[in-house]
Amino acid sequence: MNYNPNPGMRNPSAAGRPRPPKRVSDVNAMGPSAPMMGGGATFMAPPSGPGILDPNMYGAPAPAPVNSYGFDPNLGQPSQHMQQPPQQQPGFGYGAPPAQQAAAPPAYGIGGPQPGAPPTGQYPQFAMFQQPIVQDMAMQYGQKLADQGKQIMENQFEKWVPVAKLKYYFAVDNAYVGRKLRLLFFPYIHKDWSLRYDQEHPVQPRYDVNAPDLYLPTMGYITYVIVAGLLLGMQKRFSPEQLGIQASSAMAYSIFELVIYSIALYVMNVKTSLKTLDLLAFTGYKYVNIVVCLMVSTLFFRSGYYIALAYTSFSFGFFLLRTLRTKLLQDNSPAAPSGAINYDPYGNPQQFDYSGGKKRKLYFLFMVVAGQALFAFLLSKHLYLPEAEVLAVPKTF
């Protein structure tokens, strides 16, 4: 049995006669006929049951009925559920029903967000880093990296700066400083010039006043720069750049002097246990004498400066002769077999022979003594105060 949606158009010759009515069985099997162009019934009646997305299934108010043309006659008018105010339930306030209020999660505690934690669902990729075990592992790994970096830096720094050896030269105390200053200015009253040894190594300077140190030379150098600025200010010649000039000049003199002595030891083939830091310490004591000479010039001016320079140069020369003579000519260090190669300025453990070259050692010793007096004069001759009338401020009219 065929279905024709346009009855009457099937057979034009039979358009004038009426169409026989359909049987009930045909209508139930085929459904209602399709709507006509000029009007007529709809193709299929709307279902009486709820739709797929019917809001009545979820407790929401039912929408207004819509006619067959898709037009809502109550569109734009407030619905019934919006016109009636919500009724207050006994024991509950406005808002969600009691079931929803009871089901709200707690603010904190079990099942709720913890203080300081990110909100649920926000940055989930960082949630692992909030675990204590992960934080402990990260801290241990960072501490291990820091220790390795520190060890590498210490090893690299130790190659260029002998930190362990420098600690020996700064192992001093107040008693040693006082005794050393007395030895520098009054070396004539000192009797024992020998160095003390602890098995194979010399004892620290705090236990032996004859041992060289770098504390007094360092403090003397800093004090020299300060006193130079003070005297330049008293002579109306001070400027901030002068402090840098004086400091760099003194440093250049010390480096040049140290290079000259090291080259002399190498050229003269003098084999000695005197190390580079020992030379730096002995030649650095002259800054103490320079500071004393400049301070004396503030009281006695030029004549006082030259008298103080002459005395300190003589006493310092006597100190160097007795001290370096012990290390150069009569070295009483533990006996070592002969077979030395050359002078080692860095004090590496080698075999030395201290018996030969006595005349060359004396030449080197006198060269060091004369050099200290010369460099002390060059570093202070432009700083001492002249006569009092030169310092007088001229009157302005």
Side-chain angles (χ1 to χ4, degrees), residues 135-153:
Q135 295 179 357
D136 294 342
M137 293 176 60
M139 185 176 299
Q140 293 177 3
Y141 185 71
Q143 184 66 28
K144 184 178 179 180
L145 288 180
D147 294 340
Q148 292 179 355
K150 181 180 178 181
Q151 186 66 27
I152 293 174
M153 290 297 297

Side-chain angles (χ1 to χ4, degrees), residues 32-271:
S33 59
M36 302 299 293
M37 295 299 293
T42 58
F43 174 76
M44 184 178 292
S48 59
I52 297 178
L53 300 176
D54 191 355
N56 291 330
M57 298 178 62
Y58 305 97
V66 183
N67 56 11
S68 59
Y69 299 101
F71 173 71
D72 186 3
N74 297 325
L75 185 63
Q77 299 180 4
S79 60
Q80 183 179 1
H81 70 278
M82 296 179 61
Q83 295 176 0
Q84 296 179 359
Q87 298 180 1
Q88 183 176 2
Q89 300 291 338
F92 298 94
Y94 295 97
Q100 297 182 5
Q101 293 183 359
Y108 295 100
I110 301 176
Q114 300 298 327
T120 305
Q122 185 178 3
Y123 309 118
Q125 62 272 22
F126 299 111
M128 181 184 65
F129 299 102
Q130 301 294 332
Q131 302 296 330
I133 185 172
V134 178
Q135 295 179 357
D136 294 342
M137 293 176 60
M139 185 176 299
Q140 293 177 3
Y141 185 71
Q143 184 66 28
K144 184 178 179 180
L145 288 180
D147 294 340
Q148 292 179 355
K150 181 180 178 181
Q151 186 66 27
I152 293 174
M153 290 297 297
E154 289 179 354
N155 294 337
Q156 294 296 329
F157 189 74
E158 187 71 23
K159 292 181 179 179
W160 302 100
V161 180
V163 180
K165 297 178 181 179
L166 286 176
K167 291 181 179 179
Y168 165 81
Y169 291 94
F170 284 93
V172 300
D173 54 9
N174 294 334
Y176 169 82
V177 172
R179 288 185 282 113
K180 194 71 173 184
L181 290 176
R182 183 181 62 183
L183 180 61
L184 288 175
F185 294 110
F186 306 101
Y188 324 105
I189 60 178
H190 190 65
K191 302 300 181 182
D192 185 13
W193 295 91
S194 61
L195 296 176
R196 301 177 184 177
Y197 284 84
D198 182 12
Q199 295 181 357
E200 298 180 358
H201 304 282
V203 298
Q204 294 180 349
R206 71 178 69 180
Y207 305 114
D208 185 10
V209 70
N210 297 321
D213 70 284
L214 288 175
Y215 176 79
L216 278 176
T218 303
M219 294 297 103
Y221 171 78
I222 297 175
T223 308
Y224 164 77
V225 176
I226 297 175
V227 172
L230 174 65
L231 294 179
L232 289 175
M234 296 177 65
Q235 302 176 46
K236 310 301 181 183
R237 295 187 295 152
F238 176 78
S239 64
E241 294 80 8
Q242 287 294 328
L243 292 179
I245 293 174
Q246 299 302 322
S248 59
S249 300
M251 183 66 68
Y253 271 113
S254 298
I255 295 175
F256 175 74
E257 184 180 8
L258 193 63
V259 170
I260 291 297
Y261 296 151
S262 299
I263 294 176
L265 284 174
Y266 179 78
V267 171
M268 299 170 66
N269 195 20
V270 176
K271 300 176 179 63

Side-chain angles (χ1 to χ4, degrees), residues 293-314:
C293 296
L294 293 178
M295 295 305 296
V296 169
S297 69
T298 60
L299 299 176
F300 303 101
F301 306 106
R302 178 179 299 177
S303 58
Y305 164 75
Y306 281 109
I307 293 174
L309 180 63
Y311 176 78
T312 54
S313 298
F314 181 78

